[in-house]
Amino acid sequence: MTNKELADTFTLIANLLEIKGEVIYKILAYRKAAETLSAHPRAAKDIWQEAGIKGLKEISGVGPAIADKIDELLNTGKLDFLEKLKAEVPESLAGLLQVPDLGPKKVKMFYEQLGVASIEQLKAAAEGGKLAELPGMGKKSEEKILVGIESLSRRSGRTPLGDALPFAGQQIALLKKVKGVKAVEAAGSLRRRRDTVGDLDILVAAEDSEPVMEAFTSQPLVARVLGKGKTKSSVEFNNGMRAQVWVHPPARFGTAIQYATGSKDHNVRLREIALDQGYSLSEHALTKEDGSEILCAKEEEVYKTLGLPWIPPELREDRGEVKAAQSGNLPKLIAEKDIIADLHSHTTWSDGKLSILEMAEAAIARGRKTLAITDHSHNLGIANGLSVERLKEQRKEITAARKKLGDRILLLHGIEMEIRADGTLDFDDETLAWLDIVIASLHVGMRQPREKNTLRILNAINNPHVDIIAHPTNRLLPDRLGSDLDMEAIFAAALANGTVLEINSNPSRLDLDDVHARLAAELGIPITINTDAHAAEHFDFLSYGVATARRAWLTKGQVVNTWKPEKIQAWLKKRG
DNA sequence: GCCGTTTTCGGCCCGACTGTTTTCAGTCG
């Protein structure tokens, strides 16, 4: 069982317990355990095999009860507790919680009063006017549920950062034009630069909220208004995305954006510190025990009042950042301007859109000092992968481009080489040694078992000519999960061989993800942040890769792409 | 159910909005 499967099991337990009416803190405990498990860099199964139940309890949010349940799940694949729970509360009821505006209390009531146990039955009951007759319900509530079912069918879960960020930019531009608005900023998971975003959270500083709410809710892109109040409004757009806008007076903007940025767990930590110091921290102010308020117009002031340095939003996941801030050990995070090399790009020789020279010019225009041309190898036929013969032809064009470019950029001739489904590599050692730089990656045969795919990657790492493993898990956001790999074995091999692991900046990939990149870098594995550009504008994907690196706590010194051309050449020469 | 250089027991998650209500319950973030 993977961490994801364990997490899903505990989320299901939490949902069923909530419908059953269990005390909220028990439910929160299961949710918390599910969250830590799904974001944990190590497989719970590996921890369990090494250190048993005792090892599982070391995981934050996992105590004796949940550790026992993980143990049972890993031993038998089943959980007696869950089976009994399902007998009390049908599993299908958990699915009803997906319907917006439908929570555990109503799900329970609909099931007990009307026998509603599925979305179809819910829809039929609402259309038949049965829901409105129940206590606490009315015509409007019934209508809301029908609308919720409809919107559920339209929504597609989380939105990749690469789609959410530009869309949020449009919304911010719109709100900035409203009269009286002093500042507009995105908050929430978007500001923390998570790889996917749920709803957009937008903070507006203004004394008068009414014109802001009016402009926000009445724009043509809005499919329906979910709520509209003085401090908060939320809408659903035609594209299925949802957004909410908060309006706070400029003098309170600091606490407001701190609150809305989250994460929830980071804010809990911060509120604990506030309480220790005699404050209560809310989105409105820091309030002393005598009721007097300290207002913060800037977010920095919130942290400063609590005796902390400002913490970059990308770190605010309750992964040790508050402790690091307290002890003065926050990392000096890498920034986009630190990146001066791109070691992964494609041209018309395989599936790219531009020539070698055009790609080099586009990279120079963006301040890059080194560019590796790494087209696909022949086993990836769909991308017009290169044979050895075409690779030799390509070298002539590289040489010609170098002459034209002079010392404006270091142009490396490389390859993105397929690791075939059987684990063998697409080129022999002689060809690989002849190239300046070799990236190895998987594109096909990803559904093979964990052991097989792990071995494929290990085989590439163990080849001394392979310099970089690109997008190791091959996930595609938002929906395709990466391959189930033994990342610990991969990290150990990479460390032993000096192989560099990639954070691919394409917003559909962001692979390695933040959690794995952090673990790899902590082990001492050098990281590379590449755009995998297939066109000029793809070089701008860099900001997404850097955001992922910042979420992984990476500093300039841990990233190969900050090196000057001479250092990159020396590194490649040493590798042979 | 988890957690603890204030506690092994008693805290944890609180405010905004909506709708159905006349003071509150449910949902959401």
Side-chain angles (χ1 to χ4, degrees):
Chain A
M1 264 188 135
T2 64
N3 285 10
K4 169 102 183 12
E5 288 165 329
L6 290 169
D8 288 346
T9 305
F10 291 127
T11 301
L12 176 63
I13 289 175
N15 287 340
L16 295 179
L17 286 177
E18 197 173 21
I19 294 165
K20 189 181 161 190
E22 186 56 88
V23 288
I24 187 68
Y25 299 110
K26 195 180 280 198
I27 292 149
L28 290 174
Y30 279 108
R31 296 235 161 94
K32 172 85 184 161
E35 269 172 46
T36 28
L37 280 170
S38 59
H40 202 83
R42 293 196 63 195
K45 192 178 174 188
D46 293 342
I47 297 172
W48 173 74
Q49 274 166 347
E50 267 172 41
I53 295 178
K54 197 154 163 275
L56 293 173
K57 280 196 269 191
E58 308 265 305
I59 301 171
S60 127
V62 175
I66 291 180
D68 279 344
K69 289 188 176 69
I70 297 175
D71 178 63
E72 187 182 334
L73 282 164
L74 291 175
N75 264 321
T76 68
K78 285 204 297 210
L79 187 60
D80 193 43
F81 174 81
L82 179 57
E83 296 309 316
K84 284 181 177 148
L85 183 59
K86 283 188 203 165
E88 280 182 81
V89 186
E91 189 177 353
S92 63
L93 294 189
L96 293 180
L97 292 175
Q98 300 294 312
V99 179
D101 298 312
L102 187 52
K105 300 281 164 57
K106 285 182 186 165
V107 166
K108 186 179 189 199
M109 179 170 71
F110 296 166
Y111 176 63
E112 287 176 347
Q113 304 278 322
L114 304 170
V116 166
S118 69
I119 302 241
E120 292 71 36
Q121 289 167 350
L122 180 70
K123 196 171 176 210
E127 283 169 348
K130 299 275 185 234
L131 302 182
E133 295 164 7
L134 296 173
M137 291 290 295
K139 271 286 151 209
K140 277 192 174 175
S141 302
E142 191 172 69
E143 180 57 27
K144 251 187 156 180
I145 284 175
L146 277 173
V147 174
I149 293 171
E150 211 268 300
S151 96
L152 187 65
S153 65
R154 224 169 352 130
R155 295 193 75 193
S156 64
R158 298 182 69 85
T159 307
L161 181 63
D163 296 330
L165 206 54
F167 188 73
Q170 291 171 19
Q171 288 298 309
I172 290 169
L174 176 112
L175 293 169
K176 274 188 173 161
K177 285 189 203 141
V178 178
K179 201 163 171 247
V181 167
K182 302 284 184 237
V184 186
E185 270 190 65
S189 52
L190 186 86
R191 184 162 179 242
R192 303 199 310 278
R193 296 290 189 265
R194 270 193 62 174
D195 48 26
T196 59
V197 175
D199 300 346
L200 299 180
D201 300 297
I202 299 172
L203 255 285
V204 176
E207 295 295 349
D208 184 8
S209 71
E210 222 235 286
V212 177
M213 297 314 192
E214 193 50 40
F216 177 59
T217 55
S218 67
Q219 56 177 313
L221 289 176
V222 167
R224 64 193 183 99
V225 177
L226 303 165
K228 189 179 172 188
K230 270 207 300 221
T231 57
K232 192 174 118 183
S233 293
S234 55
V235 303
E236 185 173 305
F237 294 103
N238 294 324
N239 62 10
M241 206 181 284
R242 291 180 170 204
Q244 44 189 343
V245 160
W246 280 277
V247 180
H248 286 273
R252 298 179 187 270
F253 194 66
T255 40
I257 190 160
Q258 195 291 315
Y259 171 84
T261 298
S263 68
K264 205 174 61 187
D265 290 333
H266 173 86
N267 286 355
V268 168
R269 290 272 173 256
L270 223 57
R271 285 201 291 270
E272 282 169 3
I273 292 177
L275 283 175
D276 283 347
Q277 301 181 9
Y279 299 111
S280 151
L281 173 61
S282 76
E283 63 264 53
H284 303 295
L286 283 149
T287 310
K288 291 188 202 162
E289 275 154 15
D290 63 8
S292 63
E293 290 184 326
I294 299 177
L295 304 191
C296 300
K298 294 216 179 320
E299 198 182 42
E300 285 81 355
E301 295 162 17
V302 181
Y303 287 92
K304 197 176 165 197
T305 309
L306 300 175
L308 297 172
W310 180 77
I311 300 176
E314 295 94 329
L315 296 183
R316 299 183 198 170
E317 298 290 346
D318 189 26
R319 295 176 187 161
E321 72 281 4
V322 173
K323 208 171 245 177
Q326 283 175 312
S327 59
N329 290 318
L330 278 178
K332 190 173 181 323
L333 295 180
I334 188 159
E336 204 174 328
K337 65 172 169 46
D338 296 329
I339 305 286
I340 54 170
D342 200 327
L343 303 179
H344 186 168
S345 70
H346 297 269
T347 71
T348 47
W349 280 84
S350 62
D351 58 351
K353 297 275 185 287
L354 299 177
S355 70
I356 292 169
L357 199 57
E358 287 166 331
M359 287 299 277
E361 289 291 358
I364 291 168
R366 287 162 177 81
R368 313 285 154 81
K369 306 289 184 204
T370 301
L371 177 68
I373 300 294
T374 55
D375 279 304
H376 293 285
S377 66
H378 63 85
N379 208 253
L380 200 63
I382 195 167
N384 191 24
L386 300 180
S387 62
V388 177
E389 291 70 35
R390 288 184 63 218
L391 199 59
K392 300 242 155 107
E393 283 295 309
Q394 191 186 31
R395 173 61 63 87
K396 292 177 193 163
E397 196 175 317
I398 293 262
T399 307
R402 278 175 180 154
K403 275 198 189 117
K404 285 206 178 111
L405 294 163
D407 58 2
R408 294 160 66 211
I409 195 165
L410 169 64
L411 194 63
L412 298 170
H413 189 201
I415 192 80
E416 181 179 9
M417 176 182 58
E418 279 308 291
I419 305 170
R420 297 179 193 145
D422 64 1
T424 57
L425 303 177
D426 228 8
F427 288 128
D428 59 23
D429 283 359
E430 193 190 341
T431 307
L432 296 181
W434 173 77
L435 285 159
D436 297 330
I437 186 166
V438 175
I439 299 177
S441 66
L442 307 172
H443 291 96
V444 295
M446 300 306 297
R447 292 205 191 137
Q448 300 184 77
R450 172 185 165 102
E451 293 72 24
K452 192 80 192 290
N453 278 334
T454 302
L455 272 178
R456 290 167 73 189
I457 292 190
L458 291 180
N459 190 34
I461 291 177
N462 289 326
N463 183 308
H465 301 294
V466 171
D467 304 301
I468 294 171
I469 303 293
H471 48 75
T473 77
N474 224 17
R475 71 170 178 169
L476 282 183
L477 295 168
D479 294 323
R480 190 175 87 188
L481 290 173
S483 303
D484 182 19
L485 297 169
D486 183 347
M487 295 306 273
E488 284 180 61
I490 289 169
F491 290 165
L495 191 60
N497 288 281
T499 313
V500 175
L501 298 182
E502 181 184 72
I503 294 175
N504 190 291
S505 303
N506 187 309
S508 300
R509 293 196 182 274
L510 299 179
D511 177 14
L512 299 169
D513 68 13
D514 51 355
V515 172
H516 281 132
R518 182 176 178 189
L519 184 63
E522 278 175 358
L523 291 169
I525 297 166
I527 304 292
T528 179
I529 306 172
N530 297 319
T531 63
D532 197 354
H534 287 65
E537 62 271 20
H538 292 175
F539 283 116
D540 301 324
F541 287 160
L542 182 62
S543 62
Y544 301 114
V546 170
T548 302
R550 289 170 63 87
R551 289 179 54 82
W553 293 52
L554 295 194
T555 59
K556 193 176 168 182
Q558 293 170 308
V559 177
V560 175
N561 307 66
T562 64
W563 295 352
K564 291 184 175 144
E566 305 81 63
K567 189 166 175 186
I568 287 179
Q569 274 182 309
W571 162 60
L572 290 171
K573 194 175 170 197
K574 212 172 99 190
R575 285 190 66 77

